Amino acid sequence: MGLLLLLPLLLLLASLQAGPSTKCNSQFSYEVKQPEKLSAPAGGSVQIPFSFCHPWELSSVLSVTITWRWKQFYGEFIYNITPPFIHKDFENRLSLNWIKDSNNGSLQISNLRREDESLYFCRVYLTPRNHKTMMWQANPGTKLTITPAPKKTTQGPPSTDAPTTSTDGLSVTGNKRSSESWPLTTEAVVVVVVFSALLKIAILGVLVYLRWKRSKGLRTNARAPARPGSSLPEAP
């Protein structure tokens, strides 16, 4: 009875020691899977996911190397784990998100450019114990489309146009000049108004003074007496 109870535990320990299975669920013994199409805006970033399968248990795998190519199936390499390599067109823009002993991950491309629009292929090199190194690659890869960068909405500077003010034929309009309008400040408008009022008062005062002077002279001439000894010449 005790052995029957221990048997499931022993099977569980054996499976854990062997490691998780990475066998393919398809008809292929080796396979790399990628999405067929992806798109991302210029200036942004994108992650191209991948996964791979093979007939060996992870515990029997000695090493795994991930590389990436672009443009075509036999195109240039743009990334390699060992030895470390990044294509000059992707310097400081590529990173591989992958954990050792894992059969999936993603390639991240940052600061996307229009020139990055292309096909991308993940290639896996695997060396099992007591076996030669195996290599297989995704086909047809992932078609990456670069879309236009989103437009940034910017708010324009506030308008500095001031309401029009008219004073004695002078038109004042902020930031607008013509033959009939001058940009004057509020202080200048006040000065013009005060000066015009004073000028009118001065002219009115002069007119009043002159009229008073004239009326006074007429009254003086009317009241003056005739001089003694003077006589009008007699008519012939």
Side-chain angles (χ1 to χ4, degrees):
M1 187 66 180
L3 293 176
L4 293 176
L5 294 175
L6 290 176
L7 183 59
L9 181 60
L10 293 175
L11 292 175
L12 178 61
L13 291 175
S15 62
L16 291 175
Q17 185 177 4
S21 175
T22 56
K23 294 182 179 180
C24 300
N25 296 325
S26 64
Q27 60 180 345
F28 303 102
S29 298
Y30 315 91
E31 189 176 16
V32 178
K33 293 182 179 180
Q34 296 177 221
E36 291 186 6
K37 297 179 181 180
L38 287 175
S39 63
S45 62
V46 66
Q47 291 190 0
I48 306 177
F50 70 91
S51 62
F52 59 91
C53 57
H54 51 80
W56 294 281
E57 302 293 339
L58 285 178
S59 59
S60 63
V61 174
L62 297 179
S63 65
V64 176
T65 298
I66 308 293
T67 63
W68 284 83
R69 301 176 113 159
W70 74 328
K71 296 185 178 181
Q72 55 185 351
F73 190 85
Y74 293 106
E76 291 181 283
F77 285 99
I78 62 172
Y79 183 88
N80 189 23
I81 293 182
T82 307
F85 168 76
I86 293 179
H87 193 279
K88 62 180 181 179
D89 292 342
F90 295 91
E91 288 183 0
N92 302 319
R93 299 195 299 127
L94 281 186
S95 61
L96 183 68
N97 303 316
W98 176 71
I99 302 175
K100 186 179 179 182
D101 296 336
S102 175
N103 65 334
N104 59 80
S106 64
L107 177 72
Q108 178 169 316
I109 309 176
S110 304
N111 192 19
L112 289 169
R113 307 168 183 169
R114 292 292 301 176
E115 297 80 9
D116 297 336
E117 183 170 294
S118 184
L119 287 168
Y120 292 83
F121 304 87
C122 177
R123 172 175 286 199
V124 177
Y125 295 87
L126 186 144
T127 304
R129 185 178 288 109
N130 301 324
H131 202 283
K132 65 179 181 178
T133 298
M134 305 294 295
M135 180 274 297
W136 61 100
Q137 181 173 305
N139 190 23
T142 299
K143 169 63 177 178
L144 177 61
T145 301
I146 307 300
T147 59
K151 295 181 179 180
K152 297 181 179 179
T153 56
T154 57
Q155 185 175 2
S159 176
T160 57
D161 291 349
T164 303
T165 303
S166 197
T167 304
D168 290 343
L170 297 180
S171 176
V172 182
T173 304
N175 288 349
K176 293 184 179 180
R177 295 195 179 194
S178 66
S179 60
E180 299 179 359
S181 62
W182 305 311
L184 300 178
T185 62
T186 303
E187 293 79 3
V189 173
V190 172
V191 171
V192 171
V193 172
V194 173
F195 178 78
S196 299
L198 291 176
L199 181 60
K200 290 178 180 180
I201 293 173
I203 294 173
L204 183 60
V206 171
L207 292 175
V208 171
Y209 173 78
L210 291 176
R211 181 171 296 181
W212 174 80
K213 185 82 172 177
R214 181 180 179 184
S215 61
K216 184 178 180 182
L218 291 176
R219 288 196 300 269
T220 303
N221 293 334
R223 295 178 182 178
R227 296 181 181 178
S230 63
S231 62
L232 293 176
E234 296 181 356

